[in-house]
Amino acid sequence: MEANMIKIFDTTLRDGEQTPGVCLDVREKVELAQALAKLRVDVIEAGFPVASPGDFAAVSQIAAAVKGPVIAGLARADKKDIDVAWESLRKAETPRIHVFLASSDIHLEYKLKMTREQMLAQAVEAVRYAKRFTSDIEFSCEDASRSDWNFLCQVYSGVIAAGATVINIPDTVGYSTPGEFGALIKHLRDNITDVDKAIISVHCHDDLGLAVANSLEAIANGARQIECAINGLGERAGNAALEEVVMALATRKEHYRAYTGIDTRQLYRTSRLVSAHTGIAVPPNKGIVGDNAFAHESGIHQHGVLNNPLTYEVIKPEMVGVSKSSIVLGKHSGRHAFEERINQLGYELSDAKIRSIFKEFKDLADRKKVVYDRDIEALIADQQNASGEHYRLIYHNTMSGNKTVATASVQVETDEGVIEEASCGFGPVDATFKAIEKAIGFAICLKDYQLKAVTSGEDALGEATVWIEGNGRTFIGRGLSIDVIEASARAYVSAINKMMASGGCPQVNEAEGVI
Ligand code: KIV
Ligand code: ZN
């Protein structure tokens, strides 16, 4: 590895999936892993295989299907976890077992009920055990930043002697400041025995909004692997945002003198894909991938940018895959122009997918004067979000007003035929959802619902997201339409289809649940 090369370890599918409200199914995880490979991350942490059968299946399928990056699986420092992690990783081109055990006194006393000596012995034993299966072993001291520095040196020296090839230093609770964290990395680098036999990695959480700053400071002090997640997803306030770390290094090369192998032109579309699958919107003011990242509101700024973009833009939008194309598509645009635009936006889609998105595009162009890039991206994300269609929404109609009870009727098709139902509700969306429930014959537990406009203007596309619960899991559905009730109905049916694909309708309470 070249001295200034920084490895990007993406944990969107593991720590990112621990974001409250996020629940990805196996198909979505494989698709995201393919996108991460295209982004050219060095390591994909595909999951925590022992955590659930779904995690195990996702890691196994990613290991078998995704080529290029190292595929890592997380394991606690015990034999069963390591066995299961290896079982799921064995088909990977380049597998890595990532073993962790907490090292801070507070975790040892209150969580693990262990002494420091026991922790050290267990960490070394676990790494030695994992090493039987594969040569690439990462070890993390959970809560390292609140652990005793000399104890950390002992543990990391011990695991390197046992065969760890990557030593990861997490700021698990996002408590460190950049100065402190940089000093910790330097101390470890100067005092761990045989430190050069392993890569120093960091994993920073964003509880104080310092995850990216801490990661960059770690690089300045010798870290050569950064653990991060797309859109900064992760437990609580999340992890360091991959796109911010990567673009800070790329934009301030002269300062950090370090580089990554990331194809930065894939950042924007990967961010949108993650957002579509997780249901976590990208805040408009988010650096690099937010809608406003390259928008200039003030007249003075606009004037400056028109004369020379460098007056107010430190990154060229194209560098992160944001297009500023002036080509506008509409109902007269043909398949060729449409396909070219998709390619310019950085998507590589199969012929079948292009055909079906083109059909959606034509329908949209019939209802909307101008189809913007964001509309096309939304159509693509909508397709990618689509699950096997158990139920298909054929038709919906609503009546509502401030002095009438909202009513809705729907037609839903299944392989058994078409069902038509009607219902009242507290407003048109509620009435539509209730009519859909009647049509499918069971109650749905709706957890959350969001509606937003994809672009501005009176004919903007509405994007609805719904979260439903069933079989102990959360399913996210998205729907897109110029008509917000239709967008909502589509989102509801899409979430229900995901639930059906994952194992059928939920166990309903006969007395209360069945309509
Ligand atoms: O935050 C943390 O400490 C972790 C470890 C498992 C690396 O996620
Ligand atoms: Zn973490």
Side-chain angles (χ1 to χ4, degrees):
M1 176 170 158
E2 282 183 55
N4 295 339
M5 167 81 182
I6 307 298
K7 300 256 185 202
I8 295 296
F9 175 116
D10 179 277
T11 187
T12 310
L13 299 176
R14 200 277 298 167
D15 214 317
E17 214 217 358
Q18 292 171 221
T19 307
V22 170
C23 182
L24 298 164
D25 63 30
V26 174
R27 184 188 61 87
E28 291 166 328
K29 285 190 183 173
V30 174
E31 190 181 331
L32 288 175
Q34 304 279 21
L36 292 168
K38 198 156 178 234
L39 181 63
R40 293 212 230 111
V41 304
D42 299 283
V43 186
I44 295 175
E45 188 165 48
F48 188 2
V50 84
S52 72
D55 257 52
F56 182 89
V59 179
S60 313
Q61 289 195 27
I62 291 169
V66 179
K67 305 295 168 208
V70 170
I71 307 296
L74 186 66
R76 282 168 300 192
D78 78 48
K79 288 188 175 164
K80 170 151 184 268
D81 274 37
I82 295 169
D83 286 341
V84 175
W86 175 245
E87 201 43 47
S88 66
L89 288 168
R90 57 189 324 147
K91 291 213 176 107
E93 204 175 52
T94 37
R96 172 181 298 178
I97 302 177
H98 177 189
V99 180
F100 76 101
L101 187 60
S103 55
S104 64
D105 289 337
I106 185 169
H107 278 232
L108 289 176
E109 184 177 347
Y110 293 99
K111 191 181 81 175
L112 299 174
K113 315 228 179 294
M114 240 184 200
T115 62
R116 287 188 185 180
E117 291 68 33
Q118 287 168 324
M119 183 275 169
L120 172 59
Q122 188 172 328
V124 169
E125 164 79 21
V127 169
R128 206 169 280 138
Y129 184 72
K131 198 76 182 175
R132 294 181 182 188
F133 300 112
T134 180
S135 59
D136 189 351
I137 306 295
E138 172 166 339
F139 182 80
S140 294
C141 282
E142 192 190 6
D143 206 16
S145 58
R146 293 192 301 168
S147 304
D148 178 83
W149 287 18
N150 291 330
F151 179 53
L152 286 179
C153 291
Q154 264 182 285
V155 177
Y156 286 124
S157 302
V159 294
I160 290 176
T165 41
V166 180
I167 50 166
N168 183 41
I169 297 122
D171 181 23
T172 301
V173 289
Y175 180 73
S176 253
T177 64
E180 261 169 32
F181 200 59
L184 169 60
I185 304 306
K186 181 171 182 333
H187 179 85
L188 295 177
R189 213 176 137 210
D190 291 345
N191 292 286
I192 291 172
T193 310
D194 283 335
V195 72
D196 293 336
K197 289 190 175 160
I199 294 171
I200 298 179
S201 165
V202 296
H203 173 112
C204 298
H205 277 270
D206 207 31
D207 299 66
L208 296 175
L210 294 171
V212 170
N214 285 340
S215 305
L216 293 171
E217 201 51 34
I219 290 173
N221 284 281
R224 287 294 173 265
Q225 175 180 282
I226 300 297
E227 300 200 357
C228 43
I230 299 286
N231 299 339
L233 293 184
E235 186 81 40
R236 303 183 312 281
N239 288 89
L242 181 150
E243 60 280 4
E244 293 178 17
V245 172
V246 166
M247 289 314 293
L249 294 177
T251 310
R252 300 303 309 274
K253 276 194 216 74
E254 81 304 339
H255 181 80
Y256 292 107
R257 297 182 184 284
Y259 59 93
T260 72
I262 294 293
D263 178 355
T264 61
R265 290 162 309 168
Q266 295 292 328
L267 284 171
Y268 179 74
R269 66 168 283 270
T270 312
S271 157
R272 295 294 148 160
L273 187 65
V274 168
S275 172
H277 283 331
T278 57
I280 306 283
V282 178
N285 60 332
K286 163 96 183 52
I288 319 296
V289 291
D291 278 346
N292 297 347
F294 301 101
H296 303 280
E297 176 74 19
S298 115
I300 297 172
H301 288 212
Q302 287 171 350
H303 181 217
V305 169
L306 284 174
N307 289 341
N308 181 348
L310 293 180
T311 50
Y312 288 101
E313 277 177 4
V314 295
I315 300 167
K316 284 197 181 128
E318 304 80 39
M319 212 178 147
V320 297
V322 171
S323 96
K324 288 220 153 166
S325 156
S326 55
I327 299 169
V328 164
L329 296 180
K331 68 176 181 181
H332 300 297
S333 308
R335 159 102 190 236
H336 184 71
F338 178 73
E339 211 173 318
E340 191 155 313
R341 194 78 212 106
I342 286 188
N343 292 337
Q344 281 166 359
L345 290 170
Y347 295 90
E348 270 172 32
L349 303 177
S350 66
D351 258 11
K353 267 207 168 146
I354 294 181
R355 220 174 304 122
S356 105
I357 298 168
F358 184 62
K359 189 177 162 304
E360 299 273 328
F361 159 77
K362 279 291 191 187
D363 286 348
L364 180 63
D366 261 345
R367 298 161 85 181
K368 193 174 189 296
K369 269 193 289 226
V370 173
V371 180
Y372 298 104
D373 287 345
R374 277 291 289 122
D375 294 321
I376 296 174
E377 278 157 1
L379 290 179
I380 294 171
D382 197 44
Q383 278 275 325
Q384 282 162 332
N385 194 50
S387 203
E389 291 206 319
H390 193 89
Y391 298 111
R392 293 169 290 278
L393 181 71
I394 307 290
Y395 155 96
H396 78 101
N397 185 41
T398 45
M399 284 209 336
S400 68
N402 63 342
K403 297 251 165 86
T404 49
V405 176
T407 55
S409 54
V410 297
Q411 260 188 4
V412 175
E413 188 184 36
T414 70
D415 290 343
E416 283 88 57
V418 175
I419 315 154
E420 191 160 31
E421 279 294 351
S423 181
C424 308
F426 301 107
V429 173
D430 185 46
T432 305
F433 286 3
K434 285 194 170 125
I436 291 172
E437 289 180 40
K438 271 189 163 180
I440 62 176
F442 53 88
I444 295 294
C445 174
L446 175 67
K447 297 307 285 181
D448 208 349
Y449 164 76
Q450 271 177 22
L451 185 63
K452 71 172 180 117
V454 172
T455 49
S456 52
E458 60 210 3
D459 64 352
L461 264 180
E463 182 180 75
T465 310
V466 301
W467 287 256
I468 65 170
E469 243 175 41
N471 304 327
R473 285 183 49 196
T474 304
F475 301 91
I476 302 168
R478 277 165 28 105
L480 207 60
S481 172
I482 272 194
D483 170 347
V484 294
I485 309 296
E486 185 178 331
S488 307
R490 284 186 176 201
Y492 207 47
V493 173
S494 142
I496 295 169
N497 279 335
K498 283 193 183 170
M499 185 175 72
M500 297 307 287
S502 89
C505 65
Q507 304 299 313
V508 285
N509 175 338
E510 293 278 322
E512 295 164 12
V514 180
I515 299 167

